[in-house]
Amino acid sequence: MGSRYRVRASVMLAVLCGWPLAASAAANMDPAAPSEWAQWVRQQVQRLPASRAINAEQEKWLAETRSAGQPLYNPNLNLTYEDSAEVTKTVGLSQTLDWSGKARASRNESTLRLTLAELRGQKARVDLLAQSLQALIAWDAAQARLQAAREQEQQLSELAALIRRRQQAGDVGQVDASLTLLSVGQAQQSLAAAEALATHAQTRLREVMAIPTPAYTLPQQDLVSADAVAGNPQTRLQANYDVQLAELQLALAEQGVTLADKQRNADPSLGLYVGKEGDDNLWGVDLSLPLKFFNTDKPAYQQAMADSDARRALLEKTRNDIRARLDGARDNLTQQQRRWQHWQQLTQPSLDSSDALLKRVWQQGELTTQNYLQALNQSLEARLAGIALREALQQAWIEWLQQSAQLDEWLNALANP
């Protein structure tokens, strides 16, 4: 595997790094190596009805393009019969001659249309892949939030039961019991909200990938890369699908100007016929040339010129828009990665042992029940913040890959290390 692919694979492992809550949320699912996960994603997306619809639409575009590339003129079969002093019968063939080169210009236009149809199909498939990955990331984050809310609700329910027993024994007062019950009620509300978000994420996953749950969890690797994006994002400008489409559409419009210019020229028709006039054989040649006195095709040429100018301006606008998107996607990814790394360095170690430590300190009487409940809420908020930061980083990573036209290449490299 080349160094470029090794960098991209390491970045992917950094972005899709492990998260204990997500792992426990999908405990019944098989963990997968990054290559297995990537292969499953690619195969699942290829089996989607939306993917088959894209392929069919592309075939339609290609068929239309092939039809437009057919020869301009067909030969004509001419039969005549004249009954006067003598009966005259002739049969002949005539063909319009493409002296102005319309067919060549039309073939060049057809070639551009073929390339445009293939590029449209590629972009549609990459967009579908991006939607699928975004749905998987949202589902994973929703499961992590749900698991955190369940653990919090269970912990507070157990605490409430313990408080009631200690209240009956006279160890705690009514205020501590009331505060604990209020915290349980808040935990129930948080759990309900997390369940609603998980249902929404599952619905979205079924809409995009036609599955209720993924076959594998996101790859879990404790690896964070400090250089997710290196170099100038403008180097990826030319690879962007929207830019390529705009360039092809401009080339097609310019070729349309060439074709419209040739359409202004009249093509002659040449015919050859043989027959009999009475008992005598005859043959002849017929040459006809349209005279463009009334319909000069000038408006069509002017329309093609205007379309070319519009496409040129649209290309400039597209390049400007994509430059902004690339800069924004790169900056957002860098910022999200920095925030996630800081959270891991500062907060993750404290969370790993905070719950057990808080409970032990509270049981020893060194922490009031009110402060203990407040600390538990802060611990939950810190976990949820970590989940949100991780999801934002993953979504920013997919957005960058999509804007820089590296998504399909990255997934293929990941599936085939």
Side-chain angles (χ1 to χ4, degrees):
M1 181 174 62
S3 59
R4 179 180 58 179
Y5 289 153
R6 285 198 297 270
V7 172
R8 287 178 181 160
S10 65
V11 172
M12 180 271 169
L13 297 177
V15 174
L16 301 179
C17 54
W19 174 248
L21 290 180
S24 59
N28 296 327
M29 298 168 56
D30 295 331
S35 60
E36 295 176 334
W37 175 83
Q39 291 171 6
W40 169 79
V41 170
R42 187 174 59 181
Q43 293 170 359
Q44 183 64 31
V45 171
Q46 289 173 350
R47 288 196 295 262
L48 291 175
S51 183
R52 297 198 299 271
I54 291 171
N55 295 335
E57 188 72 13
Q58 183 176 8
E59 284 301 319
K60 185 189 77 170
W61 292 331
L62 293 174
E64 291 174 351
T65 302
R66 296 187 193 102
S67 175
Q70 296 297 311
L72 296 178
Y73 304 120
N74 288 315
N76 294 322
L77 175 64
N78 305 312
L79 300 173
T80 63
Y81 177 85
E82 183 179 346
D83 188 359
S84 57
E86 291 183 341
V87 175
T88 302
K89 295 177 289 186
T90 62
V91 60
L93 285 175
S94 64
Q95 174 69 52
T96 301
L97 305 179
D98 184 20
W99 280 11
S100 58
K102 296 185 182 71
R104 187 184 306 110
S106 181
R107 285 194 298 271
N108 292 338
E109 185 182 58
S110 178
T111 300
L112 289 173
R113 290 187 182 276
L114 282 172
T115 306
L116 183 62
E118 292 173 353
L119 188 60
R120 281 176 175 171
Q122 293 175 11
K123 182 180 185 301
R125 281 187 283 271
V126 169
D127 290 345
L128 179 61
L129 177 60
Q131 292 174 10
S132 300
L133 290 170
Q134 289 166 351
L136 286 171
I137 291 170
W139 183 89
D140 183 77
Q143 292 298 314
R145 292 187 182 94
L146 179 59
Q147 182 66 19
R150 284 174 175 169
E151 290 179 354
Q152 180 80 347
E153 191 274 339
Q154 180 180 0
Q155 190 174 18
L156 289 174
S157 296
E158 293 175 353
L159 177 62
L162 177 60
I163 287 289
R164 281 195 295 267
R165 291 196 299 270
R166 294 183 61 179
Q167 183 183 18
Q168 293 175 356
D171 293 338
V172 296
Q174 181 64 35
V175 174
D176 289 344
S178 298
L179 290 174
T180 305
L181 292 178
L182 290 175
S183 297
V184 172
Q186 292 177 348
Q188 290 288 340
Q189 190 276 332
S190 299
L191 179 58
E195 289 172 342
L197 291 175
T199 301
H200 177 75
Q202 185 180 53
T203 301
R204 179 58 180 166
L205 186 65
R206 296 181 67 176
E207 289 176 351
V208 176
M209 297 194 70
I211 53 174
T213 56
Y216 300 102
T217 58
L218 291 177
Q220 299 173 20
Q221 299 287 340
D222 296 326
L223 177 64
V224 176
S225 174
D227 54 350
V229 180
N232 189 346
Q234 301 305 321
T235 59
R236 300 301 308 176
L237 177 66
Q238 197 60 33
N240 182 272
Y241 285 108
D242 288 329
V243 172
Q244 292 186 59
L245 286 172
E247 289 177 342
L248 273 174
Q249 288 167 342
L250 173 59
L252 189 61
E254 292 175 342
Q255 188 61 36
V257 172
T258 302
L259 182 58
D261 184 45
K262 293 182 180 300
Q263 292 286 2
R264 300 167 66 187
N265 301 322
D267 291 331
S269 296
L270 179 64
L272 176 65
Y273 62 90
V274 296
K276 293 182 72 67
E277 184 176 5
D279 295 331
D280 297 329
N281 295 326
L282 64 87
W283 65 274
V285 176
D286 179 72
L287 179 65
S288 63
L289 179 66
L291 299 177
K292 292 203 170 187
F293 287 156
F294 305 110
N295 183 6
T296 62
D297 287 326
K298 184 177 181 180
Y301 176 74
Q302 293 173 334
Q303 180 182 357
M305 287 289 293
D307 182 56
S308 177
D309 293 339
R311 290 296 179 183
R312 188 173 291 103
L314 182 60
L315 174 59
E316 294 179 6
K317 180 182 182 302
T318 301
R319 283 175 174 165
N320 181 71
D321 292 346
I322 298 305
R323 285 192 189 98
R325 292 179 191 175
L326 284 169
D327 287 338
R330 192 265 184 93
D331 293 344
N332 183 45
L333 176 58
T334 303
Q335 293 166 2
Q336 295 297 341
Q337 188 180 36
R338 188 183 303 117
R339 299 282 79 78
W340 167 247
Q341 290 174 342
H342 286 176
W343 184 92
Q344 284 188 309
Q345 295 169 0
L346 299 177
T347 309
Q348 179 74 65
S350 300
L351 284 177
D352 292 338
S353 58
S354 64
D355 290 349
L357 176 62
L358 288 173
K359 186 175 183 179
R360 184 170 63 253
V361 172
W362 173 74
Q363 289 176 336
Q364 293 173 354
E366 300 178 10
L367 190 67
T368 65
T369 301
Q370 181 178 0
N371 290 337
Y372 179 41
L373 293 173
Q374 184 178 1
L376 288 178
N377 287 332
Q378 291 176 344
S379 176
L380 175 62
E381 290 175 359
R383 292 182 187 275
L384 294 178
I387 295 171
L389 287 171
R390 176 175 174 268
E391 181 186 14
L393 175 58
Q394 292 171 344
Q395 297 288 8
W397 172 241
I398 298 303
E399 175 67 16
W400 163 252
L401 291 177
Q402 184 180 14
Q403 292 296 334
S404 59
Q406 301 179 88
L407 187 59
D408 191 57
E409 183 182 6
W410 162 74
L411 190 65
N412 288 335
L414 194 64
N416 302 285

